[in-house]
Amino acid sequence: MVHQKQDSIGTSMDKLRRKLYTVIFEAETPAGRAFDVVLLILIFVSVLTVVLESVVSLRRNFYDQFIFIEWVFTILFTIEYLLRIYSSPRPVKYIFSFFGLVDLLAILPTYMSIFILGSQYFLVVRALRLLRVARILKLTTFIDEGQVLSNALRASFHKIVVFMGTVLTLVVIVGSVMYVIEGAASGFTSIPTSIYWAIVTITTVGYGDISPATPVGQFLASFLMITGYGIIAVPTGIVTVELSQADRRRITTRVCPNCQKEGHALDANYCSNCGFPLNKSPEAAIQS
Amino acid sequence: MVHQKQDSIGTSMDKLRRKLYTVIFEAETPAGRAFDVVLLILIFVSVLTVVLESVVSLRRNFYDQFIFIEWVFTILFTIEYLLRIYSSPRPVKYIFSFFGLVDLLAILPTYMSIFILGSQYFLVVRALRLLRVARILKLTTFIDEGQVLSNALRASFHKIVVFMGTVLTLVVIVGSVMYVIEGAASGFTSIPTSIYWAIVTITTVGYGDISPATPVGQFLASFLMITGYGIIAVPTGIVTVELSQADRRRITTRVCPNCQKEGHALDANYCSNCGFPLNKSPEAAIQS
Amino acid sequence: MVHQKQDSIGTSMDKLRRKLYTVIFEAETPAGRAFDVVLLILIFVSVLTVVLESVVSLRRNFYDQFIFIEWVFTILFTIEYLLRIYSSPRPVKYIFSFFGLVDLLAILPTYMSIFILGSQYFLVVRALRLLRVARILKLTTFIDEGQVLSNALRASFHKIVVFMGTVLTLVVIVGSVMYVIEGAASGFTSIPTSIYWAIVTITTVGYGDISPATPVGQFLASFLMITGYGIIAVPTGIVTVELSQADRRRITTRVCPNCQKEGHALDANYCSNCGFPLNKSPEAAIQS
Amino acid sequence: MVHQKQDSIGTSMDKLRRKLYTVIFEAETPAGRAFDVVLLILIFVSVLTVVLESVVSLRRNFYDQFIFIEWVFTILFTIEYLLRIYSSPRPVKYIFSFFGLVDLLAILPTYMSIFILGSQYFLVVRALRLLRVARILKLTTFIDEGQVLSNALRASFHKIVVFMGTVLTLVVIVGSVMYVIEGAASGFTSIPTSIYWAIVTITTVGYGDISPATPVGQFLASFLMITGYGIIAVPTGIVTVELSQADRRRITTRVCPNCQKEGHALDANYCSNCGFPLNKSPEAAIQS
């Protein structure tokens, strides 16, 4: 109701804010879509700049150019940030939201680099700009697919917790035992390091920076590898079953208005059970 | 019947034991649930202590603190162990059960460290305390999910045995052949070592501590890798199909009103066990 | 119509061209099939020559033989290329098509090696000859299977894009953070290198040329490994569901006798497109 | 008919041969089962001996014992081999069958080691004895499960060929390109070696004995890794779908004799569609 009141007051100021809101926060209008595309390109180029700046030879040769580009991006993102605060109906809520904080982190490091000198590492925070892409994608056609995926993952959350708990228990116990069997000579210098090795092994990554040298250690490692190789089947099975159900659910939402049979394909015109036209309204069904 | 008699005698001693049993072994009451949560935290912190104690720099600096913390945990777990024996209806059966032995192993090493000096490795046994977590989880909502997973694994046990047998045969034969082809120069010093390498390879772990150097060896290794890469599909397929069936079974929990058989398909009209019409009401079932 | 006119003119020249076209571009006739088999063998042997030529010891000992074999293949493929241009109904379109360019790349390097001396690397382009195999397989019985696979991949394209986007974002952010945590000492010399390491880790390849040395880095690496180990389930689930649907669709090839729509479910009584009873005979359909 | 004639002749010699055949080649009788179990143990112990003999320290200390044990096994397997030839209805066919040759290879090396001295490698052939286990398992309850697995793999053979062909083409082309990009300095000494590296990478094994050092090479390697990580989904999906169908087929073979509805569970007593008892004969169905 408060919202409608604001509408009826309708100063030109408010109109501007509301137009800005549609452009910046939404993607249904051509202007909003164009804004999103430009922002997407800016984010990618700015992250690419951060990535390339970390290469020593490039930083040495193009130091001034990097500084210049960085400030251009920072100023552009600052303007965008201020406009977001201005046009947002609840600015405080926006500022302290996840994306609000990410937006702030995207510009803060450059400003702070004026005061705090010498720390190139500090500037890496800017790579978090990539997280901003998530917001833009939320407004596109990919939302549906992302929804299906995240629903499937959420539905299998309990099973995955049980699975992960088992894996972590196994990793801690095998790690502890390997610490005793192999000892510091083979690189198993402490239990945390041994657990790190066990994770490297069970996930089949296998760096080889630490690897067992004694026959008993190699035997236990073999057991862990085969376990890791075999149980990858479990999360895969879980997610597949969930995705398969999500898929089935999406198909089987149409009900025949005449015989109530469910599960008609999205392109079906007639009920496959009683032959009634699916596109007629239920009222027509009753009249006929 | 013996149990009921004990109930009717009902000394205050027995009441205490039964109350303790409910708190310690069960999780339905608020007290039982609180006990589980506290125990869970104690176990995690105590295992974390064991893990951190193994780091040389930490052990050197906080040696006394570690000893102190360890004794606190040991005494707490000892009290818990004694209470479990006391409140258990069949103490001997508990002591020699899997969890009874794990509970004993959780406290024994610290006591033994008084008599047997100098062996830090010995204390690693305490990491087995993590196994105690399994009991607590057995009493929570995760039991259902764990059930589904372990049922699926049990149902596909025969298929997995055949699969594992094939993998192990392959690994022994390829390991033996590689021992001949590569020899000690590339690290294939014996057939057990070669088998270890073959397991590292077929599970796609690939440490690189041992790797083929001759063209023939690299060719055979390539064959083994592609095999390992391809046949991971088999256990995954097996588990997925089993999970999918477990899931389907859980969905179709229609119960026959006549014979109470569960698990009828959603489009079934009659009970597949007794032939009773599934769509009739239970009252009709009684009348007929 | 233009095509039919050409047919009726029917000079012996045209007849030759059309016969050549059937032999070279198609595989239905015995001659066409024989041509494909010969070409397949030639391609494999010529690629094998390129591969073996790169081995230093072989190149040194059999230099003249390699040169000779290479020219034989080049002349054969040149004749084939010219015949393809000659017999093709639209030569220009063929020359600039994907396979036309691959055919040209298959012969060009050998001719250019006369003018540009000393570059053995240049000749590697000839390995692209292997791509020509794809055309031949397009004409065989494998087309169906390839179709099912590529359809399944295309249907899950959107989901895979969302998945890959998430993986790449994760890899860039974790790579940047690891660059800060580990630094150049452990091999994380720049963010691109760190991203390369993150990809090596999340895909569970794990070369070990770069690996974390600090506890914090190993912890983050463990997180990345477990993530990579777990989320492999997602693309697998997606593709399995799509393949399963493609399969189901292929099975239910019931055709409506009235409107010829395919793909009705096995328990359908009426066509989902036109409402015609599926179980009636086609004659009844005509009579009604 | 010839077989029945032999039966009627029935000399005591023939009776012995037939009894031996039942014991040695079959597993239905208690004697046959006992023979299989003993043979299984002998094979495992003899392969274990071969494996342990290859360990230098063990061979040095227990040389005489190994020789002795080896001759015991060889003599036992020789007796078994001769009995198999004797009792087999068609001895020549058995000798040249796959298992006949494996049986011969299991004993030949030990005899040949008398004449050909000094080659320990030669004796490794005895590890092939493990293949003999396959025959025994063929006679057990695992045959069903193995059947399901191999059927599923056979049904998806065409799809797997297309998949493997794509992978191998990719591996040859990427291997060739990496040979040009990286060169001998990073270990890419020839195209075969580069292809070996590409297989190590795409299968996510990742030894790290060869790994790219240039940015372009690392980029291409990253592409290959992500491809390998993603396309593992394809064989998994294929096998899962086939296994799922094999499973469904096994369940849905019972037809109701009254209403002909298919797909009743193996433990169903009544048709789920019409309520008719499933175990009655079709004649009874007609009479009722």
Side-chain angles (χ1 to χ4, degrees), chain C residues 251-265 270-272 274 276-282:
Chain C
I251 288 172
T252 62
T253 41
R254 286 177 76 192
V255 182
C256 170
N258 191 35
C259 76
Q260 266 71 41
K261 203 194 169 241
E262 288 180 29
H264 300 287
Y270 294 89
C271 174
S272 63
C274 68
F276 192 85
L278 284 175
N279 301 322
K280 268 197 191 171
S281 66

Side-chain angles (χ1 to χ4, degrees), chain C residues 51 54 120 124 127 130-131 142 145 164 196 200 202-207 209 228 231-232 235-236 240 243-244 247 251, chain D residues 158-159 172 176 179-180 190-192 197 201 204-208 211-212 218 225-226 229 232-233 236-238 241 245:
Chain C
V51 166
S54 73
Q120 65 185 37
V124 166
L130 209 59
L131 286 177
F142 290 103
E145 304 297 341
M164 279 295 168
Y196 163 71
V200 168
I202 207 172
T203 58
T204 78
V205 171
Y207 285 133
D209 50 350
I231 59 174
I232 184 70
T236 307
T240 303
L243 275 178
S244 160
D247 222 86
I251 288 172
Chain D
H158 274 268
K159 281 204 204 75
V172 170
S176 304
Y179 166 64
V180 177
S190 66
I191 295 184
W197 166 85
T201 300
T204 78
V205 171
Y207 286 133
S211 62
Q218 291 183 343
M225 282 171 222
I226 289 176
Y229 182 64
I232 183 71
T236 308
I238 293 168
V241 169
Q245 279 187 1

